[in-house]
Amino acid sequence: MTRKSWTSPLVLLLLLTALLTGVTACSTATSPSAQNPGPGVTTAKGETSPQPKLAKSLNLFIWSEYIPTSVLEAFEKEYGVKVNISTYSSNEEMFAKLAVHSSGYDLAVASDYMIDLMRKQDLMEKLDYENISNIKNIGPEFLKRAADPDGAFSVPYMWGNVVIAINKDKVSTPVSHYRDLLKPEFKDSLVVLDDSRSMIGIANQMQGKSLNETDPAVLEKSKEFLRQLLPNIKAFDSDSPKTLLVTGEVAAGIVYGAEASLARQENPSILTVIPAEGMELWQDNFVIPKGSPNKLTAETFINFVLRPDISAEISSHYPYANPNLAAHELIDKEILQDPAVYPPKSELEKGEYMVDIGNAVKLYDRIWSEIKLE
């Protein structure tokens, strides 16, 4: 008698179920979404499901020498996303490009006063803070500022100041005010910021006026102060003014506090002077340009940068003042105690932040263009 070969419907169903389960598991293990998921979303049942996968690349628009390659490489290693960097030399340049083609960038860095203008021009996407949980690491004094009262569009990145840096081996005359740099001893020996708002604002301060002055009469006088300063200016440089200080090609400069600090690390002869007129203060922030094609990826990058270890890594390369208080425990004490980077509270109270000055910016632009052409 020959054995009859057969399988019951129940067995067939069990075999088919097992086969499908195995195929699904293999697919999940090798799919791009599993390899490169976005931040998880917690459901009502307490389960975590992945958001849509992150983009393969992220286009970041930022100042030069402002974020170390090591951080970009760490993000790519952890998330599989390559960060492409484009740089600008002023907030105005950044604004002009975003106003024309904001969707060409996924993420940008902008100073407070420019965020105010971008908000009014509807050039930014609202942030989803479910993807930026590390915002908790930022000090409350840096959040929800006048430029973005609800904190809907911006996340603090770094903050800082503008100071006078001098080479003590090359400067014999006392320097405590911006006005002191008008002296003939400084002929062709200064590096200053290539920034209309900063330099005209400083000329305003020379008169005892506001950094944000809009009175045409005051601004015309500021123009005359800058004309007097011109013979002493060897270079306009906002990107890396420390270079000329380190090499000794200039005797002094009007530079960012962090640049003065970096210059001193390489050349101990560099000293920092906090101007008696009061410092310009600033805060730079991450924003997502309107129409960004990779908003989730941009928010994931912001959250990554706000990790204490990553934020401290940035400060070790570029020691601007860091609003990430959780990162302070990991930052070199020498940086935290450097008055060029973290000025005394009494000096901070005398400082002033830029604000949006409306149509007066056209007068600033005209004055700056005329000065640069002389």
Side-chain angles (χ1 to χ4, degrees):
M1 183 176 171
T2 305
R3 178 182 295 177
K4 183 176 181 180
S5 177
W6 62 275
T7 307
S8 71
L10 177 58
V11 173
L12 282 172
L13 181 60
L14 291 173
L15 289 172
L16 181 59
T17 300
L19 179 62
L20 289 174
T21 300
V23 170
T24 302
C26 291
S27 176
T28 301
T30 59
S31 71
S33 295
Q35 294 174 1
N36 190 19
V41 175
T42 303
T43 66
K45 295 181 179 179
E47 302 169 340
T48 300
S49 60
Q51 287 187 356
K53 67 178 181 178
L54 301 180
K56 293 182 179 179
S57 63
L58 179 76
N59 295 323
L60 172 61
F61 202 23
I62 191 170
W63 299 91
S64 62
E65 297 190 15
Y66 210 21
I67 190 163
T69 302
S70 58
V71 167
L72 306 182
E73 291 174 345
F75 182 73
E76 181 174 4
K77 182 178 181 180
E78 187 164 331
Y79 289 94
V81 177
K82 178 176 175 55
V83 182
N84 303 312
I85 296 289
S86 297
T87 62
Y88 53 83
S89 58
S90 71
N91 275 284
E92 288 69 27
E93 179 187 345
M94 179 271 301
F95 175 82
K97 289 187 177 181
L98 291 186
V100 172
H101 187 46
S102 62
S103 63
Y105 303 95
D106 300 307
L107 186 63
V109 170
S111 299
D112 267 0
Y113 77 96
M114 193 53 69
I115 286 176
D116 194 12
L117 180 58
M118 293 172 70
R119 180 170 55 86
K120 293 170 182 174
Q121 297 288 331
D122 191 27
L123 290 177
M124 300 178 291
E125 295 283 352
K126 280 194 172 183
L127 300 170
D128 183 352
Y129 279 98
E130 288 188 1
N131 300 325
I132 314 175
S133 59
N134 286 329
I135 191 69
K136 65 181 182 294
N137 296 327
I138 300 295
E141 65 269 34
F142 302 104
L143 300 170
K144 297 184 178 180
R145 298 164 62 78
D148 184 12
D150 298 322
F153 301 98
S154 61
V155 169
Y157 178 55
M158 294 288 170
W159 67 276
N161 54 348
V162 173
V163 300
I164 301 170
I166 63 171
N167 186 326
K168 66 180 182 180
D169 294 338
K170 292 178 173 290
V171 176
S172 57
T173 184
V175 175
S176 58
H177 295 71
Y178 286 126
R179 278 175 175 263
D180 294 328
L181 300 178
L182 296 172
K183 296 175 182 178
E185 292 94 320
F186 290 102
K187 182 176 174 60
D188 197 34
S189 63
L190 298 180
V191 58
V192 303
L193 297 175
D194 190 5
D195 188 291
S196 60
R197 286 295 306 273
S198 287
M199 292 307 297
I200 296 173
I202 285 169
N204 295 342
Q205 291 177 312
M206 289 183 187
Q207 305 176 59
K209 302 295 184 179
S210 170
L211 192 73
N212 301 295
E213 185 62 61
T214 59
D215 183 342
V218 173
L219 295 178
E220 282 303 313
K221 192 169 182 180
S222 292
K223 180 180 176 181
E224 290 307 312
F225 273 117
L226 291 177
R227 273 187 172 146
Q228 293 176 44
L229 189 64
L230 268 179
N232 294 353
I233 297 175
K234 185 180 184 69
F236 292 90
D237 188 351
S238 292
D239 291 331
S240 186
K242 67 179 182 294
T243 302
L244 294 176
L245 288 166
V246 169
T247 60
E249 293 178 68
V250 297
I254 297 174
V255 303
Y256 300 121
E259 288 283 307
S261 178
L262 287 168
R264 191 193 69 253
Q265 290 177 26
E266 296 187 52
N267 184 344
S269 296
I270 304 302
L271 303 179
T272 297
V273 175
I274 296 177
E277 292 93 340
M279 291 180 296
E280 173 195 335
L281 300 174
W282 51 264
Q283 180 174 305
D284 281 344
N285 312 267
F286 282 119
V287 298
I288 298 180
K290 195 74 172 181
S292 164
N294 299 306
K295 184 171 180 286
L296 171 63
T297 307
E299 290 166 343
T300 302
F301 183 80
I302 294 172
N303 198 53
F304 177 78
V305 166
L306 295 189
R307 274 174 30 186
D309 58 325
I310 298 300
S311 190
E313 169 77 1
I314 295 170
S315 287
S316 71
H317 289 266
Y318 304 117
Y320 293 94
N322 197 324
N324 190 324
L325 301 187
H328 282 204
E329 295 184 7
L330 305 174
I331 296 174
D332 192 319
K333 297 302 180 187
E334 186 175 345
I335 295 174
L336 295 175
Q337 295 169 3
D338 187 346
V341 181
Y342 294 91
K345 184 178 180 182
S346 59
E347 295 293 345
L348 289 174
E349 290 173 348
K350 291 164 52 181
E352 187 177 10
Y353 287 89
M354 287 186 191
V355 298
D356 177 23
I357 54 174
N359 288 331
V361 73
K362 296 177 182 178
L363 184 52
Y364 275 69
D365 290 342
R366 177 180 65 77
I367 290 172
W368 190 242
S369 296
E370 292 172 357
I371 289 294
K372 293 292 289 289
L373 287 173
E374 291 190 10

